[in-house]
Amino acid sequence: QVHLQESGPGLVKPSETLSLTCAVSGFAITSGYFWGWVRQPPGKGLEWIGNIYQTGTTYFNPSLKRRVTVSVDTSKNQFSLKLTSVTAADTAVYYCARHMMVRGEIGAFDVWGQGTMVTVSS
Amino acid sequence: IVLTQSPGTLSLSPGERATLSCRASQSVSSSFLAWYQQKPGQAPRLLIYGASNRATGIPDRFSGSGSGTDFTLTISRLEPDDFAVYYCQQYVNSPPYTFGQGTKLEIK
């Protein structure tokens, strides 16, 4: 059974870099899927951040593109998110998730991590 | 692509039928529209993908339909466990893969 688990600091200071890792278990990250990040500010809706393929190909939300890096470590079966120059507006629950692949195209998120709350505050 | 969900809140009783709407700012291939359910403190759960395909383990009281710019999630007979927030998402080729703002389904 596929399981995704986010990890990283729960508190980040303004202007610093938010770093999260998503550990994938029960499934090889190199099995031909895209892996993504979604965030949800408290009491608000979902925002797609970006995704990555096993080869390192990435796609990002244009609204965050200048500040986001997503990387994959196939040896550890995990992928990571870095968001630079954070502000209070980046306070959110951050989820990692797996994109379905339908006929070779990126699909919906079919498996999600439980999410991790990150607060930006001094 | 902007997705607009309506209504913002829907108040119904168990056993009733729920109809949730998702309207896109431009045409979305039906192959690229999904619905999710989210309960408080939990991650979203995929219900429907490709506009009308139920995800694994989703009861058949959940159904999706629509094409172009108008899509619908229908829950035929509400059960107590169905009261939650529902989001639609489009994942057409070019990112970002946007979500709607959500519809809260509450017990009347």
Side-chain angles (χ1 to χ4, degrees):
Chain A
Q1 185 176 352
V2 187
H3 182 73
L4 280 63
Q5 181 68 59
E6 305 89 350
S7 62
L11 181 64
V12 181
K13 290 183 169 56
S15 80
E16 295 191 344
T17 296
L18 178 160
S19 297
L20 296 174
T21 296
C22 181
V24 180
S25 58
F27 192 85
I29 205 167
T30 54
S31 296
Y33 285 71
F34 271 83
W35 304 86
W37 291 95
V38 174
R39 70 180 182 178
Q40 185 171 37
K44 296 187 178 181
L46 302 165
E47 180 180 31
W48 181 82
I49 299 172
N51 61 16
I52 190 165
Y53 191 65
Q54 62 196 51
T55 57
T57 297
T58 52
Y59 298 102
F60 298 117
N61 190 324
S63 68
L64 299 169
K65 189 173 183 177
R66 288 186 300 108
R67 300 193 292 130
V68 172
T69 302
V70 177
S71 59
V72 63
D73 187 336
T74 57
S75 67
K76 295 183 178 179
N77 216 45
Q78 65 186 34
F79 60 106
S80 299
L81 169 71
K82 290 188 187 298
L83 181 65
T84 62
S85 305
V86 298
T87 69
D90 295 310
T91 293
V93 175
Y94 285 76
Y95 296 100
C96 60
R98 184 183 76 174
H99 278 285
M100 296 174 68
M101 298 300 289
V102 180
R103 294 183 294 278
E105 298 195 71
I106 294 173
F109 287 117
D110 65 340
V111 182
W112 294 69
Q114 65 183 27
T116 187
M117 180 68 201
V118 179
T119 301
V120 178
S121 175
S122 55
Chain B
I1 298 176
V2 176
L3 299 180
T4 302
Q5 293 186 239
S6 61
T9 301
L10 184 58
S11 300
L12 294 170
S13 301
E16 291 192 296
R17 179 186 186 92
T19 302
L20 287 66
S21 172
C22 176
R23 178 163 290 179
S25 59
Q26 57 187 276
S27 184
V28 174
S29 166
S30 58
S31 299
F32 303 103
L33 194 287
W35 290 92
Y36 301 86
Q37 176 194 67
Q38 187 180 33
K39 297 178 182 178
Q42 296 185 18
R45 176 175 71 144
L46 178 65
L47 299 175
I48 302 287
Y49 65 94
S52 61
N53 301 289
R54 275 186 298 276
T56 302
I58 301 303
D60 60 8
R61 65 179 184 275
F62 290 90
S63 63
S65 63
S67 64
T69 59
D70 291 295
F71 297 88
T72 300
L73 174 69
T74 301
I75 311 172
S76 58
R77 297 171 307 280
L78 285 167
E79 296 192 1
D81 191 50
D82 297 337
F83 292 91
V85 179
Y86 291 84
Y87 294 95
C88 58
Q89 184 201 18
Q90 63 80 21
Y91 41 95
V92 179
N93 285 347
S94 299
Y97 305 127
T98 48
F99 292 89
Q101 84 279 17
T103 289
K104 181 179 181 180
L105 178 57
E106 65 176 24
I107 299 178
K108 187 173 182 180

